[in-house]
Amino acid sequence: MQLDLDQAPPPPLLLLLLLILTASIPHASRAASFDYADALDKSILFYEQQRSGELPEDQRATWRGDSALTDGQDVNVVDLVGGYYDAGNNVKFGFPGAFTTTMLAWSVIETGLELDSLGELGYAKEAVRWGADYISKTYSAPDVLWAQVGDAQADHACWERPEDMDTPRTAYRIDAAHPGSDLAGESAAALAASSIVFQITDPGYSSELLAKAQDIFRFADAYRGKYSDSLGEVVTPYYNSFSGYEDELLWAAAWLYKASRDEQYLSYLIENGAGFGGTTGTYYTATWDNKLAGVQVLASQVIWKLSLQSIARYKTQADNFVCSVLPGNPKSTATITPGGLLYVQEASNMQYVTSAAFLFFTYAKYLEDASQTVSCGDVQVSPDELNAFAKQQVDYILGNNPRNSSYMIGFGRNFPQRVHHRASSMPSIEDHPAKIGCQEGFQYLQASSPNPNPIVGGVVGGPDSSDQYSDDREAFTQSEPSTYINAGLVGALATLAGQTL
Ligand SMILES: *[C@@H]1O[C@H](CO)[C@@H](O)[C@H](O)[C@H]1NC(C)=O
């Protein structure tokens, strides 16, 4: 693989073909203008509503109250208060939670200037800090990482507000004898990325996060295994580590290198790229489970900054990710709905859309900085085309779609009303201070009325492969928002809102 790609313009015939293919993408050329700054503000506000623990004075989402104030006490010694509830449930799942924090931090790193100009930087950093503080607590001793708080089966058997919770807040851990290199790798990545966010404004905190990230990575690498093998049924029905742990080890190394510039992490990326699938990747989706595409995009920036031939194959794989997702090139494989949405699967499909949009914007920026293009077979794809696709996906979310519906709660005129979310679907504790018990709560799941507390800024799982959507709480694959759906969207919206400044 040559580092210097052929930058000659494509021959006219190919160019023509590309134009025709691009023009045929549904809705791609339809002009749409949204208030991206408003959507951005809401996408961050969403995280305040997902907060667990003691809410701060400056909490803007005041319909929520303090909750889960004794998390960690079933094991007596550990303070596990804080963090985010995962989605429409009240469990603190460590694996997607850490991924969320990494992506939020990455959003801030890439779009800090835009966020600042838009008055959102402070809120975005608080969203990162809320996640990082909790992850920091979960690494309570060397080689001990708390993977989850809350008995997920018991939690899912109830429909309760977090403030009323009475299900077991069991804490589950991984350690040297019960390893979890995926969870530990992602936790290390999250803290390393977060340390970059606070490098200038809070150097003490930043160093603390980085030191912890380094030790968690050592633990992740020294004791190899999947956390879902160690914890079994506690996590497998929810967040099984399908893609294994190698992607997280590379992801952690990439973030640690970016945060510390310590050569050992770069060597790790070089030595393990092929063996761990980073330079031979087969997964072309970016999710809480699989981070290879993220690794490849990050590593590409490193390649260009350091002119590093030895890991140039990461760039080939980043290209493969883009080509597979982007319609209208010889290597596209992804399904695009008739209305133009990237479609991977029924459950929480929007997570793939938001992660891809963020990675496209970010990769486009890195490509531009390095005067590079993407190679899809013999077709060269420009950064502008990546930006156009990412914008089109975000526009779909915000309302440019066959249903003319926004999939962000509280944004636009027409948005999901019956969202699968316990707290949101029930009266707030201010309006209804009396406890609503586990079974009693199900009347709110089944009610046909709109959620009394719209979880503003959350993006739901989204429509099916025919662009159809059920505004129905029970249809959770479509109607549930989650922390990891929004994480990449924050950066994507900041990019778009920044362009309007
Ligand atoms: C969506 O908006 C377009 C353009 O205004 C209109 O033609 C179409 O009928 C609308 N579709 C629905 C389902 O409301």
Side-chain angles (χ1 to χ4, degrees), residues 23-55:
S24 70
I25 301 169
H27 297 262
S29 56
R30 212 165 91 185
S33 186
F34 293 101
D35 188 345
Y36 298 116
D38 181 38
L40 170 68
D41 183 62
K42 287 171 172 160
S43 72
I44 301 169
L45 183 62
F46 168 71
Y47 288 97
E48 289 194 17
Q49 300 160 89
Q50 292 297 112
R51 281 173 173 173
S52 179
E54 193 184 340
L55 302 182

PDB file of all heavy atoms in Angstrom, residues 23-55:
ATOM      1  N   ALA A  23     -26.820  11.388  -8.020  1.00  0.00           N
ATOM      2  CA  ALA A  23     -28.102  12.052  -8.235  1.00  0.00           C
ATOM      3  C   ALA A  23     -29.268  11.125  -7.905  1.00  0.00           C
ATOM      4  O   ALA A  23     -30.349  11.574  -7.578  1.00  0.00           O
ATOM      5  CB  ALA A  23     -28.196  12.524  -9.676  1.00  0.00           C
ATOM      6  N   SER A  24     -29.020   9.812  -7.984  1.00  0.00           N
ATOM      7  CA  SER A  24     -30.120   8.887  -7.754  1.00  0.00           C
ATOM      8  C   SER A  24     -30.338   8.564  -6.277  1.00  0.00           C
ATOM      9  O   SER A  24     -31.243   7.843  -5.928  1.00  0.00           O
ATOM     10  CB  SER A  24     -29.885   7.593  -8.533  1.00  0.00           C
ATOM     11  OG  SER A  24     -28.803   6.896  -7.946  1.00  0.00           O
ATOM     12  N   ILE A  25     -29.497   9.097  -5.402  1.00  0.00           N
ATOM     13  CA  ILE A  25     -29.716   8.851  -3.978  1.00  0.00           C
ATOM     14  C   ILE A  25     -30.984   9.603  -3.576  1.00  0.00           C
ATOM     15  O   ILE A  25     -31.070  10.807  -3.781  1.00  0.00           O
ATOM     16  CB  ILE A  25     -28.550   9.368  -3.115  1.00  0.00           C
ATOM     17  CG1 ILE A  25     -27.238   8.701  -3.532  1.00  0.00           C
ATOM     18  CG2 ILE A  25     -28.812   9.110  -1.635  1.00  0.00           C
ATOM     19  CD1 ILE A  25     -26.024   9.361  -2.905  1.00  0.00           C
ATOM     20  N   PRO A  26     -31.964   8.894  -3.046  1.00  0.00           N
ATOM     21  CA  PRO A  26     -33.216   9.577  -2.701  1.00  0.00           C
ATOM     22  C   PRO A  26     -32.965  10.746  -1.766  1.00  0.00           C
ATOM     23  O   PRO A  26     -32.172  10.627  -0.828  1.00  0.00           O
ATOM     24  CB  PRO A  26     -34.038   8.491  -2.016  1.00  0.00           C
ATOM     25  CG  PRO A  26     -33.397   7.199  -2.380  1.00  0.00           C
ATOM     26  CD  PRO A  26     -31.966   7.494  -2.654  1.00  0.00           C
ATOM     27  N   HIS A  27     -33.592  11.815  -1.999  1.00  0.00           N
ATOM     28  CA  HIS A  27     -33.564  12.994  -1.141  1.00  0.00           C
ATOM     29  C   HIS A  27     -32.219  13.709  -1.072  1.00  0.00           C
ATOM     30  O   HIS A  27     -32.113  14.746  -0.450  1.00  0.00           O
ATOM     31  CB  HIS A  27     -33.997  12.658   0.304  1.00  0.00           C
ATOM     32  CG  HIS A  27     -35.390  12.177   0.392  1.00  0.00           C
ATOM     33  ND1 HIS A  27     -36.442  12.994   0.735  1.00  0.00           N
ATOM     34  CD2 HIS A  27     -35.930  10.962   0.163  1.00  0.00           C
ATOM     35  CE1 HIS A  27     -37.557  12.283   0.709  1.00  0.00           C
ATOM     36  NE2 HIS A  27     -37.285  11.059   0.370  1.00  0.00           N
ATOM     37  N   ALA A  28     -31.191  13.125  -1.712  1.00  0.00           N
ATOM     38  CA  ALA A  28     -29.855  13.698  -1.536  1.00  0.00           C
ATOM     39  C   ALA A  28     -29.805  15.139  -2.028  1.00  0.00           C
ATOM     40  O   ALA A  28     -29.097  15.966  -1.472  1.00  0.00           O
ATOM     41  CB  ALA A  28     -28.828  12.862  -2.273  1.00  0.00           C
ATOM     42  N   SER A  29     -30.561  15.404  -3.079  1.00  0.00           N
ATOM     43  CA  SER A  29     -30.445  16.736  -3.656  1.00  0.00           C
ATOM     44  C   SER A  29     -31.534  17.675  -3.141  1.00  0.00           C
ATOM     45  O   SER A  29     -31.561  18.836  -3.486  1.00  0.00           O
ATOM     46  CB  SER A  29     -30.519  16.627  -5.175  1.00  0.00           C
ATOM     47  OG  SER A  29     -31.723  15.969  -5.523  1.00  0.00           O
ATOM     48  N   ARG A  30     -32.455  17.108  -2.337  1.00  0.00           N
ATOM     49  CA  ARG A  30     -33.539  17.950  -1.857  1.00  0.00           C
ATOM     50  C   ARG A  30     -33.002  18.919  -0.818  1.00  0.00           C
ATOM     51  O   ARG A  30     -32.392  18.522   0.161  1.00  0.00           O
ATOM     52  CB  ARG A  30     -34.636  17.068  -1.234  1.00  0.00           C
ATOM     53  CG  ARG A  30     -36.024  17.664  -1.419  1.00  0.00           C
ATOM     54  CD  ARG A  30     -37.073  16.622  -1.133  1.00  0.00           C
ATOM     55  NE  ARG A  30     -37.481  16.640   0.256  1.00  0.00           N
ATOM     56  CZ  ARG A  30     -38.319  15.752   0.771  1.00  0.00           C
ATOM     57  NH1 ARG A  30     -38.831  14.799   0.033  1.00  0.00           N
ATOM     58  NH2 ARG A  30     -38.657  15.816   2.044  1.00  0.00           N
ATOM     59  N   ALA A  31     -33.235  20.189  -1.049  1.00  0.00           N
ATOM     60  CA  ALA A  31     -32.712  21.180  -0.115  1.00  0.00           C
ATOM     61  C   ALA A  31     -33.458  21.065   1.213  1.00  0.00           C
ATOM     62  O   ALA A  31     -34.653  20.869   1.240  1.00  0.00           O
ATOM     63  CB  ALA A  31     -32.880  22.568  -0.691  1.00  0.00           C
ATOM     64  N   ALA A  32     -32.726  21.136   2.282  1.00  0.00           N
ATOM     65  CA  ALA A  32     -33.374  21.120   3.585  1.00  0.00           C
ATOM     66  C   ALA A  32     -32.568  22.007   4.489  1.00  0.00           C
ATOM     67  O   ALA A  32     -31.347  22.009   4.443  1.00  0.00           O
ATOM     68  CB  ALA A  32     -33.412  19.718   4.139  1.00  0.00           C
ATOM     69  N   SER A  33     -33.245  22.774   5.242  1.00  0.00           N
ATOM     70  CA  SER A  33     -32.521  23.599   6.175  1.00  0.00           C
ATOM     71  C   SER A  33     -33.156  23.439   7.545  1.00  0.00           C
ATOM     72  O   SER A  33     -34.361  23.594   7.695  1.00  0.00           O
ATOM     73  CB  SER A  33     -32.563  25.049   5.721  1.00  0.00           C
ATOM     74  OG  SER A  33     -31.734  25.788   6.568  1.00  0.00           O
ATOM     75  N   PHE A  34     -32.350  23.073   8.469  1.00  0.00           N
ATOM     76  CA  PHE A  34     -32.862  22.871   9.820  1.00  0.00           C
ATOM     77  C   PHE A  34     -32.103  23.780  10.770  1.00  0.00           C
ATOM     78  O   PHE A  34     -31.000  24.236  10.459  1.00  0.00           O
ATOM     79  CB  PHE A  34     -32.667  21.411  10.235  1.00  0.00           C
ATOM     80  CG  PHE A  34     -33.498  20.451   9.443  1.00  0.00           C
ATOM     81  CD1 PHE A  34     -32.935  19.717   8.409  1.00  0.00           C
ATOM     82  CD2 PHE A  34     -34.855  20.291   9.717  1.00  0.00           C
ATOM     83  CE1 PHE A  34     -33.704  18.833   7.662  1.00  0.00           C
ATOM     84  CE2 PHE A  34     -35.627  19.408   8.977  1.00  0.00           C
ATOM     85  CZ  PHE A  34     -35.055  18.678   7.954  1.00  0.00           C
ATOM     86  N   ASP A  35     -32.704  24.001  11.912  1.00  0.00           N
ATOM     87  CA  ASP A  35     -32.033  24.773  12.947  1.00  0.00           C
ATOM     88  C   ASP A  35     -31.087  23.820  13.688  1.00  0.00           C
ATOM     89  O   ASP A  35     -31.421  23.252  14.723  1.00  0.00           O
ATOM     90  CB  ASP A  35     -33.082  25.376  13.894  1.00  0.00           C
ATOM     91  CG  ASP A  35     -32.458  26.348  14.882  1.00  0.00           C
ATOM     92  OD1 ASP A  35     -31.217  26.329  15.024  1.00  0.00           O
ATOM     93  OD2 ASP A  35     -33.216  27.107  15.513  1.00  0.00           O
ATOM     94  N   TYR A  36     -29.904  23.645  13.094  1.00  0.00           N
ATOM     95  CA  TYR A  36     -28.955  22.680  13.662  1.00  0.00           C
ATOM     96  C   TYR A  36     -28.499  23.082  15.064  1.00  0.00           C
ATOM     97  O   TYR A  36     -28.207  22.231  15.902  1.00  0.00           O
ATOM     98  CB  TYR A  36     -27.731  22.533  12.747  1.00  0.00           C
ATOM     99  CG  TYR A  36     -28.053  22.001  11.378  1.00  0.00           C
ATOM    100  CD1 TYR A  36     -27.839  22.772  10.243  1.00  0.00           C
ATOM    101  CD2 TYR A  36     -28.573  20.720  11.214  1.00  0.00           C
ATOM    102  CE1 TYR A  36     -28.140  22.288   8.973  1.00  0.00           C
ATOM    103  CE2 TYR A  36     -28.875  20.221   9.957  1.00  0.00           C
ATOM    104  CZ  TYR A  36     -28.663  21.016   8.836  1.00  0.00           C
ATOM    105  OH  TYR A  36     -28.953  20.524   7.591  1.00  0.00           O
ATOM    106  N   ALA A  37     -28.417  24.382  15.310  1.00  0.00           N
ATOM    107  CA  ALA A  37     -27.980  24.830  16.643  1.00  0.00           C
ATOM    108  C   ALA A  37     -28.989  24.402  17.704  1.00  0.00           C
ATOM    109  O   ALA A  37     -28.618  23.972  18.797  1.00  0.00           O
ATOM    110  CB  ALA A  37     -27.788  26.347  16.649  1.00  0.00           C
ATOM    111  N   ASP A  38     -30.265  24.483  17.361  1.00  0.00           N
ATOM    112  CA  ASP A  38     -31.316  24.054  18.281  1.00  0.00           C
ATOM    113  C   ASP A  38     -31.229  22.539  18.508  1.00  0.00           C
ATOM    114  O   ASP A  38     -31.305  22.058  19.644  1.00  0.00           O
ATOM    115  CB  ASP A  38     -32.683  24.446  17.691  1.00  0.00           C
ATOM    116  CG  ASP A  38     -33.851  24.069  18.602  1.00  0.00           C
ATOM    117  OD1 ASP A  38     -33.702  24.207  19.836  1.00  0.00           O
ATOM    118  OD2 ASP A  38     -34.899  23.643  18.087  1.00  0.00           O
ATOM    119  N   ALA A  39     -31.053  21.800  17.425  1.00  0.00           N
ATOM    120  CA  ALA A  39     -30.942  20.341  17.539  1.00  0.00           C
ATOM    121  C   ALA A  39     -29.718  19.960  18.375  1.00  0.00           C
ATOM    122  O   ALA A  39     -29.768  19.043  19.204  1.00  0.00           O
ATOM    123  CB  ALA A  39     -30.856  19.710  16.152  1.00  0.00           C
ATOM    124  N   LEU A  40     -28.625  20.682  18.166  1.00  0.00           N
ATOM    125  CA  LEU A  40     -27.398  20.425  18.924  1.00  0.00           C
ATOM    126  C   LEU A  40     -27.644  20.645  20.420  1.00  0.00           C
ATOM    127  O   LEU A  40     -27.292  19.802  21.260  1.00  0.00           O
ATOM    128  CB  LEU A  40     -26.284  21.351  18.437  1.00  0.00           C
ATOM    129  CG  LEU A  40     -25.011  21.382  19.281  1.00  0.00           C
ATOM    130  CD1 LEU A  40     -24.277  20.039  19.198  1.00  0.00           C
ATOM    131  CD2 LEU A  40     -24.091  22.517  18.846  1.00  0.00           C
ATOM    132  N   ASP A  41     -28.248  21.781  20.738  1.00  0.00           N
ATOM    133  CA  ASP A  41     -28.526  22.108  22.132  1.00  0.00           C
ATOM    134  C   ASP A  41     -29.345  20.985  22.782  1.00  0.00           C
ATOM    135  O   ASP A  41     -29.035  20.515  23.877  1.00  0.00           O
ATOM    136  CB  ASP A  41     -29.296  23.437  22.187  1.00  0.00           C
ATOM    137  CG  ASP A  41     -29.553  23.885  23.605  1.00  0.00           C
ATOM    138  OD1 ASP A  41     -28.574  24.124  24.328  1.00  0.00           O
ATOM    139  OD2 ASP A  41     -30.732  23.962  24.009  1.00  0.00           O
ATOM    140  N   LYS A  42     -30.348  20.531  22.042  1.00  0.00           N
ATOM    141  CA  LYS A  42     -31.216  19.478  22.584  1.00  0.00           C
ATOM    142  C   LYS A  42     -30.496  18.139  22.694  1.00  0.00           C
ATOM    143  O   LYS A  42     -30.695  17.393  23.653  1.00  0.00           O
ATOM    144  CB  LYS A  42     -32.472  19.367  21.716  1.00  0.00           C
ATOM    145  CG  LYS A  42     -33.392  20.566  21.952  1.00  0.00           C
ATOM    146  CD  LYS A  42     -34.564  20.669  21.001  1.00  0.00           C
ATOM    147  CE  LYS A  42     -35.464  21.809  21.514  1.00  0.00           C
ATOM    148  NZ  LYS A  42     -36.355  22.335  20.462  1.00  0.00           N
ATOM    149  N   SER A  43     -29.628  17.852  21.722  1.00  0.00           N
ATOM    150  CA  SER A  43     -28.929  16.560  21.753  1.00  0.00           C
ATOM    151  C   SER A  43     -28.042  16.436  22.993  1.00  0.00           C
ATOM    152  O   SER A  43     -27.827  15.334  23.499  1.00  0.00           O
ATOM    153  CB  SER A  43     -28.100  16.360  20.479  1.00  0.00           C
ATOM    154  OG  SER A  43     -26.950  17.199  20.470  1.00  0.00           O
ATOM    155  N   ILE A  44     -27.561  17.571  23.485  1.00  0.00           N
ATOM    156  CA  ILE A  44     -26.726  17.548  24.697  1.00  0.00           C
ATOM    157  C   ILE A  44     -27.608  17.538  25.940  1.00  0.00           C
ATOM    158  O   ILE A  44     -27.329  16.831  26.917  1.00  0.00           O
ATOM    159  CB  ILE A  44     -25.759  18.751  24.724  1.00  0.00           C
ATOM    160  CG1 ILE A  44     -24.848  18.737  23.483  1.00  0.00           C
ATOM    161  CG2 ILE A  44     -24.897  18.724  25.988  1.00  0.00           C
ATOM    162  CD1 ILE A  44     -24.052  20.020  23.275  1.00  0.00           C
ATOM    163  N   LEU A  45     -28.697  18.304  25.883  1.00  0.00           N
ATOM    164  CA  LEU A  45     -29.647  18.348  27.009  1.00  0.00           C
ATOM    165  C   LEU A  45     -30.169  16.942  27.341  1.00  0.00           C
ATOM    166  O   LEU A  45     -30.450  16.618  28.497  1.00  0.00           O
ATOM    167  CB  LEU A  45     -30.811  19.280  26.650  1.00  0.00           C
ATOM    168  CG  LEU A  45     -31.878  19.520  27.723  1.00  0.00           C
ATOM    169  CD1 LEU A  45     -31.270  20.182  28.953  1.00  0.00           C
ATOM    170  CD2 LEU A  45     -33.027  20.365  27.171  1.00  0.00           C
ATOM    171  N   PHE A  46     -30.284  16.133  26.305  1.00  0.00           N
ATOM    172  CA  PHE A  46     -30.722  14.743  26.490  1.00  0.00           C
ATOM    173  C   PHE A  46     -29.939  14.067  27.622  1.00  0.00           C
ATOM    174  O   PHE A  46     -30.506  13.353  28.454  1.00  0.00           O
ATOM    175  CB  PHE A  46     -30.546  13.972  25.179  1.00  0.00           C
ATOM    176  CG  PHE A  46     -30.684  12.479  25.311  1.00  0.00           C
ATOM    177  CD1 PHE A  46     -31.923  11.897  25.566  1.00  0.00           C
ATOM    178  CD2 PHE A  46     -29.582  11.648  25.186  1.00  0.00           C
ATOM    179  CE1 PHE A  46     -32.057  10.514  25.699  1.00  0.00           C
ATOM    180  CE2 PHE A  46     -29.703  10.270  25.310  1.00  0.00           C
ATOM    181  CZ  PHE A  46     -30.942   9.702  25.567  1.00  0.00           C
ATOM    182  N   TYR A  47     -28.617  14.303  27.647  1.00  0.00           N
ATOM    183  CA  TYR A  47     -27.784  13.620  28.648  1.00  0.00           C
ATOM    184  C   TYR A  47     -28.111  14.036  30.075  1.00  0.00           C
ATOM    185  O   TYR A  47     -27.962  13.240  31.002  1.00  0.00           O
ATOM    186  CB  TYR A  47     -26.289  13.807  28.319  1.00  0.00           C
ATOM    187  CG  TYR A  47     -25.921  12.988  27.112  1.00  0.00           C
ATOM    188  CD1 TYR A  47     -25.882  13.555  25.852  1.00  0.00           C
ATOM    189  CD2 TYR A  47     -25.694  11.618  27.241  1.00  0.00           C
ATOM    190  CE1 TYR A  47     -25.606  12.781  24.736  1.00  0.00           C
ATOM    191  CE2 TYR A  47     -25.420  10.840  26.126  1.00  0.00           C
ATOM    192  CZ  TYR A  47     -25.385  11.428  24.879  1.00  0.00           C
ATOM    193  OH  TYR A  47     -25.131  10.654  23.783  1.00  0.00           O
ATOM    194  N   GLU A  48     -28.551  15.254  30.261  1.00  0.00           N
ATOM    195  CA  GLU A  48     -28.933  15.670  31.630  1.00  0.00           C
ATOM    196  C   GLU A  48     -30.119  14.851  32.125  1.00  0.00           C
ATOM    197  O   GLU A  48     -30.248  14.577  33.313  1.00  0.00           O
ATOM    198  CB  GLU A  48     -29.276  17.166  31.655  1.00  0.00           C
ATOM    199  CG  GLU A  48     -28.065  18.053  31.491  1.00  0.00           C
ATOM    200  CD  GLU A  48     -28.339  19.509  31.848  1.00  0.00           C
ATOM    201  OE1 GLU A  48     -29.341  19.805  32.522  1.00  0.00           O
ATOM    202  OE2 GLU A  48     -27.534  20.361  31.421  1.00  0.00           O
ATOM    203  N   GLN A  49     -30.975  14.475  31.182  1.00  0.00           N
ATOM    204  CA  GLN A  49     -32.169  13.724  31.561  1.00  0.00           C
ATOM    205  C   GLN A  49     -31.868  12.257  31.819  1.00  0.00           C
ATOM    206  O   GLN A  49     -32.677  11.544  32.407  1.00  0.00           O
ATOM    207  CB  GLN A  49     -33.232  13.879  30.464  1.00  0.00           C
ATOM    208  CG  GLN A  49     -33.616  15.344  30.273  1.00  0.00           C
ATOM    209  CD  GLN A  49     -34.263  15.614  28.926  1.00  0.00           C
ATOM    210  OE1 GLN A  49     -35.474  15.506  28.785  1.00  0.00           O
ATOM    211  NE2 GLN A  49     -33.454  15.936  27.925  1.00  0.00           N
ATOM    212  N   GLN A  50     -30.707  11.808  31.369  1.00  0.00           N
ATOM    213  CA  GLN A  50     -30.304  10.415  31.585  1.00  0.00           C
ATOM    214  C   GLN A  50     -29.426  10.280  32.837  1.00  0.00           C
ATOM    215  O   GLN A  50     -28.947   9.184  33.137  1.00  0.00           O
ATOM    216  CB  GLN A  50     -29.515   9.903  30.375  1.00  0.00           C
ATOM    217  CG  GLN A  50     -30.319   9.744  29.101  1.00  0.00           C
ATOM    218  CD  GLN A  50     -31.431   8.713  29.213  1.00  0.00           C
ATOM    219  OE1 GLN A  50     -32.606   9.057  29.193  1.00  0.00           O
ATOM    220  NE2 GLN A  50     -31.076   7.456  29.359  1.00  0.00           N
ATOM    221  N   ARG A  51     -29.214  11.384  33.541  1.00  0.00           N
ATOM    222  CA  ARG A  51     -28.293  11.337  34.673  1.00  0.00           C
ATOM    223  C   ARG A  51     -28.824  10.485  35.828  1.00  0.00           C
ATOM    224  O   ARG A  51     -29.987  10.585  36.209  1.00  0.00           O
ATOM    225  CB  ARG A  51     -28.048  12.756  35.211  1.00  0.00           C
ATOM    226  CG  ARG A  51     -27.062  13.551  34.375  1.00  0.00           C
ATOM    227  CD  ARG A  51     -26.993  14.988  34.856  1.00  0.00           C
ATOM    228  NE  ARG A  51     -25.928  15.726  34.164  1.00  0.00           N
ATOM    229  CZ  ARG A  51     -25.737  17.034  34.282  1.00  0.00           C
ATOM    230  NH1 ARG A  51     -26.530  17.763  35.059  1.00  0.00           N
ATOM    231  NH2 ARG A  51     -24.746  17.622  33.632  1.00  0.00           N
ATOM    232  N   SER A  52     -27.908   9.700  36.378  1.00  0.00           N
ATOM    233  CA  SER A  52     -28.177   8.952  37.593  1.00  0.00           C
ATOM    234  C   SER A  52     -27.385   9.625  38.709  1.00  0.00           C
ATOM    235  O   SER A  52     -26.393  10.302  38.441  1.00  0.00           O
ATOM    236  CB  SER A  52     -27.708   7.504  37.402  1.00  0.00           C
ATOM    237  OG  SER A  52     -27.926   6.748  38.570  1.00  0.00           O
ATOM    238  N   GLY A  53     -27.852   9.456  39.960  1.00  0.00           N
ATOM    239  CA  GLY A  53     -27.120  10.028  41.089  1.00  0.00           C
ATOM    240  C   GLY A  53     -27.707  11.336  41.564  1.00  0.00           C
ATOM    241  O   GLY A  53     -28.883  11.635  41.326  1.00  0.00           O
ATOM    242  N   GLU A  54     -26.847  12.112  42.198  1.00  0.00           N
ATOM    243  CA  GLU A  54     -27.290  13.380  42.766  1.00  0.00           C
ATOM    244  C   GLU A  54     -27.187  14.464  41.697  1.00  0.00           C
ATOM    245  O   GLU A  54     -26.108  14.724  41.166  1.00  0.00           O
ATOM    246  CB  GLU A  54     -26.410  13.731  43.970  1.00  0.00           C
ATOM    247  CG  GLU A  54     -26.984  14.854  44.806  1.00  0.00           C
ATOM    248  CD  GLU A  54     -26.050  15.248  45.952  1.00  0.00           C
ATOM    249  OE1 GLU A  54     -25.172  14.437  46.334  1.00  0.00           O
ATOM    250  OE2 GLU A  54     -26.204  16.374  46.449  1.00  0.00           O
ATOM    251  N   LEU A  55     -28.297  15.093  41.389  1.00  0.00           N
ATOM    252  CA  LEU A  55     -28.298  16.091  40.320  1.00  0.00           C
ATOM    253  C   LEU A  55     -27.729  17.410  40.837  1.00  0.00           C
ATOM    254  O   LEU A  55     -28.006  17.823  41.955  1.00  0.00           O
ATOM    255  CB  LEU A  55     -29.724  16.293  39.782  1.00  0.00           C
ATOM    256  CG  LEU A  55     -30.393  15.020  39.252  1.00  0.00           C
ATOM    257  CD1 LEU A  55     -31.789  15.334  38.706  1.00  0.00           C
ATOM    258  CD2 LEU A  55     -29.543  14.343  38.186  1.00  0.00           C
TER     259      LEU A  55
END
